[in-house]
Amino acid sequence: MRKTWWKILCIVIIFYVIVMGLMGPVPRLAIINESIRNTYFHVALWLAMTTLLFASMIFSIRYLNKGRIGDDDIASELAKSAIFFGILGCLTGSVWANYTWGDPWPNDPKLNGAAVGILIYLAYLLLRSSFEDEQRRARISSVYNIFAFAVFIPIIYILPRLTDSLHPGSGGNSTFGSYDFDNNIRKVFYPAIIGYILLGLWLAELRVRIKVINRVRDEALIASDKTASNTH
């Protein structure tokens, strides 16, 4: 039970977020109207994605420090979970933008930065697939992962605030406040972030287990082939 309690918590939180996100009370605002419910999905997904990318970078640093291939496995799978959330965030954001701004992808610096950020991490996955040697792949991709996160944060969270952007908190546009981000929103929004982070960890854990199983299987096959060749 000690190893599964957080998975049960994840399921409970996600179920709560879906139900309250669709049916719970929200502020009544002009233009945004009911689309503010997307805060529980679009915004929370991107914050969870950023957390997972940060954790991925930490495990890349650990790999470079200690050379344990397991750390690289965790780093790569956390990045994959984060990319998945990033794509979902872009899709939910496009739906929201279409209803609020009349265009699923307006020429907005934060939207364009999000696209660039996703491409940076897709390139990370492509880079990993370019090497057959396990240790070499881990070393090069770990270095890339660290620099990718260092570039991603300014593109997504800093540069849009320095220019005109449709997003809250950017280019003089007011950020969320008590008027639109009330207690009803907070009761669902913060659990949503936690739930998505737990879900991302769960997905990463499953894929790391698959990697470990495949590695053990491959090593057993190699050992079996060596034994057979020595016998002959």
Side-chain angles (χ1 to χ4, degrees), residues 63 130-142:
Y63 170 79
S130 302
F131 300 97
E132 292 186 5
D133 182 75
E134 197 172 59
Q135 293 294 339
R136 187 182 182 193
R137 176 176 63 233
R139 285 195 303 271
I140 295 176
S141 59
S142 292

Side-chain angles (χ1 to χ4, degrees), residues 33 52-53 57 69 90 111 148 165 174 208:
N33 299 313
L52 294 172
L53 289 178
M57 179 195 67
I69 197 65
C90 284
L111 287 171
S165 175
S174 62
V208 168

Side-chain angles (χ1 to χ4, degrees), residues 1-2 4 6 22 32-33 50 53 80 82 85 99 106 109 111 117-118 126 135 151 176 197 211 216 230:
M1 184 65 183
R2 287 180 299 175
T4 60
W6 62 275
L22 297 176
I32 296 178
N33 299 313
T50 305
L53 289 178
K80 289 177 183 177
F85 285 172
Y99 279 99
L111 287 171
I118 294 295
L126 182 62
Q135 293 294 339
V151 172
F176 286 114
I197 291 173
K211 277 190 172 183
V216 172
N230 292 334

Side-chain angles (χ1 to χ4, degrees), residues 89-162:
C90 284
L91 293 175
T92 52
S94 293
V95 173
W96 199 355
N98 191 46
Y99 279 99
T100 305
W101 301 324
D103 188 342
W105 199 280
N107 187 21
D108 181 81
K110 195 155 190 175
L111 287 171
N112 296 335
V116 171
I118 294 295
L119 289 175
I120 288 173
Y121 277 95
L122 289 176
Y124 166 74
L125 300 183
L126 182 62
L127 176 67
R128 294 187 62 84
S129 66
S130 302
F131 300 97
E132 292 186 5
D133 182 75
E134 197 172 59
Q135 293 294 339
R136 187 182 182 193
R137 176 176 63 233
R139 285 195 303 271
I140 295 176
S141 59
S142 292
V143 173
Y144 182 96
N145 194 21
I146 294 168
F147 282 100
F149 187 79
V151 172
F152 180 81
I153 294 300
I155 288 176
I156 299 298
Y157 296 106
I158 298 177
L159 294 181
R161 292 179 177 272
L162 303 178

Side-chain angles (χ1 to χ4, degrees), residues 38-48 92 96 176 189 193 196:
N38 209 357
T39 304
Y40 308 136
F41 306 102
H42 169 63
V43 182
L45 278 168
W46 271 82
L47 291 175
T92 52
W96 199 355
F176 286 114
F189 177 70
I193 299 173
Y196 296 143

